Amino acid sequence: MSSKRQIRVGDVLIGGGAPVAVQTMTKTETANLPETMAQIHRVAEAGADLVRVAVPRNEDVEALKTIVKRSPIPIIADIHFNHTLAIKAIEAGAHCIRLNPGNIGGPEKVAEVVATAKQYEVPIRVGVNSGSLPKHLRELEFTDPVGALVAAAEETVALMESLDFGDFKVSMKSTSVPNTIASNRLLAQRIDYPLHLGVTEAGTKWTGSLKSAVGLGTLLADGIGDTVRISLSTFHAEEEVKVAFEILKALKLREKGPVLIACPTCGRLQFDMDSVVQEVEQRLTAYDDPIEVSVLGCAVNGIGEARHADFGITGAKDSGMIFSKGEPLKKVKTGDLVDELFKEIDRYYASGKQVVIDHHEAAEATKWLSENEDLSAMTPERLAQMEKDAQRAEQDALAEAGTTPVEAAKAFADETSSPTAGRRFTRSS
């Protein structure tokens, strides 16, 4: 899931087969060291691989010197308009700088920044944005926004190559999800440099997460993208990191913490599943391991739909059950479902990731399941069993008739075996 070329930002590899890296940006004034460092530590704890800080003033450059030394993850300096600040940020120790050649003052000033980046062996993220395209492409944006974005990106790549600089990744963002998808698909076919993905100014935690999941998820599923940033209107940068990991986890690209599976509920629900799911989700944040946990609202489909989960619960009005890998573990009171679930999870880790089974409790749970599940529901297991039973019955019938399966297949394929086989039918008028 990456571009052919690879760069290194601090100790993080990007592109060339490396895992998709998660990036975010601090929401604080960079010069406010206590607040900025506190937020950097929070995003690092949430799993961020990289963090970007805004550097619009000289005092931010001064703060950057300390931030780089204290940060647990690589720092990217975000520069706009002032190429001198880009040079100073590199000299201050930034692991990478973000530069938009279209607003930095022209190719000559870009060349000055690149010369310093070469000297300090610092990579650059060059990018274009639908809101800040070069003047000569703004008319094209009205008629062909995707073409305008790609043209701007290709011009940026050509500029970097003309300066004999290849230590860069490319970002091409739009507020439009379809344009973000189409432009990155097109650019990925034309360049082999690492790509940074994002839907710019995506919106609130709710709408922004959805737009980002659609846009970035589509591209990542296509094998496009080496780093991602979720852009949300929130002062809590760690929320962007959490959303990014949920997208990557859904595509099986990264494993970071537990995976929660929960049914959508329906009229069969007999307990307060909404509160249970929220509590399970909150308590799972204490675990770093990618354990899979399922919460089912009832036993109507047995536990077959969550048989792959490491642990799970299913409940009814007065009692429920804890299960693991599709096997019942124990019957418990509905009010104790969450506590008992986490007791089993902790026991699992305490025993070296071995499920501990009390056979008496498992038997009680099995009995509860048989009393509560809907025996008429077409679960995947029951459908599979029905197919096996049908095949066995067919084989038995053939054996009784003295016909082999091969002979039966030939007879079925023979048109003369059916009075209608091979006929062509026409509609009657």
Side-chain angles (χ1 to χ4, degrees):
M1 297 294 292
S2 64
S3 303
K4 290 181 182 178
R5 292 182 183 245
Q6 187 174 80
I7 67 171
R8 181 187 292 272
V9 178
D11 58 356
V12 177
L13 294 176
I14 296 171
V20 177
V22 173
Q23 180 181 314
T24 187
M25 186 170 182
T26 55
K27 317 288 186 171
T28 59
E29 286 191 8
T30 304
N32 185 336
L33 270 173
E35 289 296 322
T36 300
M37 287 309 307
Q39 192 160 87
I40 288 173
H41 280 289
R42 286 197 297 271
V43 301
E45 288 171 6
D49 302 297
L50 308 163
V51 62
R52 184 157 41 112
V53 298
V55 184
R57 300 171 296 269
N58 280 313
E59 50 264 45
D60 298 313
V61 173
E62 288 303 311
L64 190 62
K65 296 175 184 177
T66 302
I67 291 168
V68 168
K69 292 176 183 177
R70 294 182 183 176
S71 174
I73 55 178
I75 298 294
I76 301 170
D78 188 81
I79 311 294
H80 287 279
F81 310 116
N82 191 330
H83 83 293
T84 302
L85 286 175
I87 292 171
K88 289 180 177 179
I90 294 171
E91 294 171 342
H95 300 98
C96 177
I97 61 165
R98 187 269 181 134
L99 199 70
N100 184 342
N103 69 20
I104 209 69
E108 297 81 9
K109 292 183 178 178
V110 173
E112 290 182 44
V113 176
V114 167
T116 306
K118 283 183 180 180
Q119 179 185 347
Y120 285 81
E121 297 183 342
V122 170
I124 298 176
R125 170 193 152 189
V126 290
V128 297
N129 190 301
S130 59
S132 57
L133 288 171
K135 289 181 181 179
H136 68 281
L137 291 173
R138 289 176 188 169
E139 281 300 316
L140 180 61
E141 185 187 14
F142 288 108
T143 57
D144 183 8
V146 170
L149 276 169
V150 175
E154 289 185 308
E155 288 176 7
T156 297
V157 171
L159 174 59
M160 293 292 111
E161 291 179 336
S162 72
L163 297 170
D164 192 28
F165 187 74
D167 195 12
F168 65 91
K169 56 181 176 176
V170 181
S171 166
M172 189 171 53
K173 295 184 178 183
S174 172
T175 56
S176 162
V177 171
N179 290 351
T180 297
I181 294 170
S183 58
N184 278 281
R185 278 176 171 168
L186 193 55
L187 187 65
Q189 295 172 3
R190 300 183 180 182
I191 68 171
D192 58 3
Y193 294 95
L195 293 178
H196 170 77
L197 303 182
V199 177
T200 192
E201 300 162 8
T204 64
K205 183 179 176 182
W206 170 245
T207 58
S209 296
L210 291 174
K211 288 168 69 176
S212 298
V214 173
L216 275 60
T218 299
L219 289 166
L220 291 166
D222 283 349
I224 298 169
D226 303 281
T227 70
V228 297
R229 190 264 170 114
I230 309 299
S231 300
L232 302 180
S233 296
T234 172
F235 289 114
H236 304 286
E238 61 272 20
E239 295 300 322
E240 296 182 345
V241 178
K242 293 174 184 177
V243 174
F245 269 106
E246 286 304 316
I247 294 171
L248 294 174
K249 282 159 61 178
L251 292 168
K252 305 294 184 184
L253 294 177
R254 292 281 298 269
E255 287 189 337
K256 168 65 180 174
V259 175
L260 176 63
I261 302 164
C263 76
T265 77
C266 67
R268 300 185 185 96
L269 188 66
Q270 297 181 42
F271 71 105
D272 184 10
M273 182 177 158
D274 188 45
S275 297
V276 168
V277 171
Q278 289 185 46
E279 185 178 354
V280 170
E281 184 176 49
Q282 191 277 323
R283 290 175 64 166
L284 282 174
T285 60
Y287 298 78
D288 293 325
D289 201 45
I291 189 172
E292 197 167 78
V293 176
S294 171
V295 180
L296 298 178
C298 69
V300 67
N301 287 333
I303 50 180
E305 292 186 1
R307 62 193 178 283
H308 55 282
D310 295 299
F311 286 94
I313 57 179
T314 180
K317 187 175 182 180
D318 300 315
S319 57
M321 180 185 71
I322 313 295
F323 62 88
S324 174
K325 295 292 186 183
E327 297 298 325
L329 285 183
K330 62 164 63 170
K331 171 190 171 185
V332 298
K333 294 179 180 178
T334 301
D336 298 334
L337 277 171
V338 178
D339 286 339
E340 292 297 328
L341 168 67
F342 282 94
K343 283 182 183 177
E344 294 302 323
I345 291 174
D346 290 340
R347 190 177 299 172
Y348 166 76
Y349 284 115
S351 61
K353 292 190 177 181
Q354 295 292 322
V355 178
V356 180
I357 301 175
D358 180 307
H359 294 289
H360 175 71
E361 289 184 332
E364 280 192 343
T366 301
K367 182 173 182 292
W368 177 89
L369 180 63
S370 66
E371 292 170 347
N372 284 274
E373 68 178 340
D374 182 355
L375 297 178
S376 66
M378 290 296 99
T379 66
E381 290 80 8
R382 289 178 188 146
L383 287 170
Q385 188 60 49
M386 287 172 65
E387 288 179 4
K388 286 182 182 178
D389 292 344
Q391 288 175 357
R392 192 174 296 113
E394 183 179 354
Q395 290 170 357
D396 291 345
L398 289 172
E400 264 189 47
T403 305
T404 67
V406 174
E407 290 171 337
K410 284 183 66 178
F412 182 80
D414 189 348
E415 289 187 355
T416 60
S417 66
S418 168
T420 59
R423 292 185 188 176
R424 293 184 179 181
F425 294 91
T426 57
R427 288 185 188 274
S428 56
S429 55

